Amino acid sequence: MPILYSFKRCPYAMRARMALYLSKTVVELREVSLRNKPQSMLKISPKGTVPVLLFDDGRVIDESIEIIEWCIKEKKDIFKDTLNKDQELFAEDAIMLFDEKFKFHLDRYKYATRYKDVDEISHRESCVEILKTMEKKISNKKFFYTNNVNKIDICILPFIRQFRIANPEWFDHHNEFPKIQKWLDNFLKSSLLKDIMVSHKVWKKDNLAIFFPTNL
Ligand SMILES: N[C@@H](CCC(=O)N[C@@H](CS)C(=O)NCC(=O)O)C(=O)O
């Protein structure tokens, strides 16, 4: 059985857990403290980020998108709906935009005190600009393009969730991206989110193994 080093609230680990969950891939879950990462994880992935997926044969995948790609390739049809070519291209660009730009501004908005001389409001505005471009493209379905979750949803929604958490009142009353608010709300109410956000104690070497997902 593969081992997943994970951190409950990390958006990258969340998207990897969603892909594993949707593909019904059972893993041994090792909850990590980011301040005290286990040596066994650093040995197989010295860059020290979660998620890290380790297979029985020693193969390691330590990028969240690659874990999702592995789930899609191995288990097929993990997403119920197929996007058209334009939607697929937009989804890929949007995922990159969130990984590269939105996350940068999100960190400086949400954790402004960790950085020197940052203006949290201007970083919040940069996030808003990105959300406004998404607002123009989103459908009226339950998720971004479809009624079932797709790759764009599991990749991006964990970041928007964090963006809201920085100031829920402000987010909920902001009026420039109503469809994005609804999109996030559908995700926050989903059993998918509930099932992948189960809390676990930080893993230690001699602990009993915890399996994820728990409800398969
Ligand atoms: N490109 C990586 C990014 C993963 C990442 O940055 N994860 C954060 C947690 S959200 C992390 O592990 N940071 C290391 C640290 O905080 O020490 C991926 O997609 O898997």
Side-chain angles (χ1 to χ4, degrees):
M1 178 179 302
I3 292 170
L4 180 76
Y5 291 93
S6 180
F7 178 66
K8 185 182 170 193
R9 296 189 314 273
C10 164
Y12 304 99
M14 285 172 65
R15 57 159 73 142
R17 294 200 305 277
M18 285 191 263
L20 293 164
Y21 179 96
L22 293 167
S23 64
K24 300 188 170 53
T25 307
V26 179
V27 296
E28 180 191 331
L29 187 127
R30 296 185 175 176
E31 181 71 15
V32 160
S33 157
L34 292 178
R35 292 205 191 122
N36 185 17
K37 295 166 194 156
Q39 280 311 314
S40 56
M41 177 183 123
L42 294 172
K43 217 166 113 192
I44 56 169
S45 179
K47 75 185 169 86
T49 63
V50 289
V52 177
L53 186 62
L54 168 67
F55 294 94
D56 294 345
D57 63 4
R59 216 159 28 110
V60 173
I61 311 183
D62 61 6
E63 280 295 323
S64 58
I65 295 285
E66 288 169 23
I67 294 175
I68 296 171
E69 292 306 330
W70 179 84
C71 292
I72 294 173
K73 196 159 158 254
E74 286 302 306
K75 308 284 170 141
K76 313 257 182 334
D77 302 331
I78 77 164
F79 304 119
K80 290 194 179 127
D81 312 284
T82 316
L83 303 188
N84 67 37
K85 263 274 151 279
D86 284 350
Q87 293 173 331
E88 227 169 70
L89 286 176
F90 179 82
E92 290 307 318
D93 287 350
I95 292 166
M96 235 152 62
L97 182 68
F98 273 75
D99 279 23
E100 285 167 13
K101 294 226 170 80
F102 191 88
K103 176 75 164 81
F104 174 87
H105 295 298
L106 169 66
D107 285 347
R108 282 152 186 80
Y109 163 48
K110 193 162 189 277
Y111 309 112
T113 53
R114 292 187 196 166
Y115 298 88
K116 246 191 173 171
D117 296 330
V118 298
D119 172 14
E120 59 184 272
I121 300 302
S122 79
H123 288 291
R124 183 173 75 187
E125 265 319 296
S126 302
C127 291
V128 168
E129 286 311 310
I130 294 175
L131 293 179
K132 279 160 63 182
T133 64
M134 300 295 283
E135 177 78 15
K136 289 192 196 130
K137 290 279 185 179
I138 195 168
S139 71
N140 287 316
K141 306 242 169 83
K142 192 165 166 207
F143 290 99
F144 197 84
Y145 279 131
T146 51
N147 280 321
N148 300 295
V149 277
N150 217 296
K151 187 175 166 190
I152 187 169
D153 306 300
I154 68 167
C155 286
I156 289 178
L157 282 165
F159 293 114
I160 305 183
R161 175 181 170 273
Q162 279 206 335
F163 182 65
R164 177 182 180 273
I165 288 172
N167 186 343
E169 179 129 358
W170 174 88
F171 182 91
D172 292 343
H173 290 95
H174 198 79
N175 60 9
E176 289 184 289
F177 41 78
K179 289 179 167 183
I180 300 294
Q181 282 153 323
K182 185 76 195 129
W183 179 36
L184 178 68
D185 194 49
N186 286 335
F187 177 58
L188 296 180
K189 288 181 182 144
S190 68
S191 53
L192 171 65
L193 180 65
K194 190 172 122 271
D195 290 347
I196 64 122
M197 290 304 273
V198 179
S199 295
H200 298 290
K201 276 201 203 129
V202 170
W203 175 79
K204 289 202 190 76
K205 203 163 164 254
D206 297 317
N207 281 8
L208 278 181
I210 301 274
F211 301 109
F212 170 88
T214 46
N215 58 344
L216 283 184

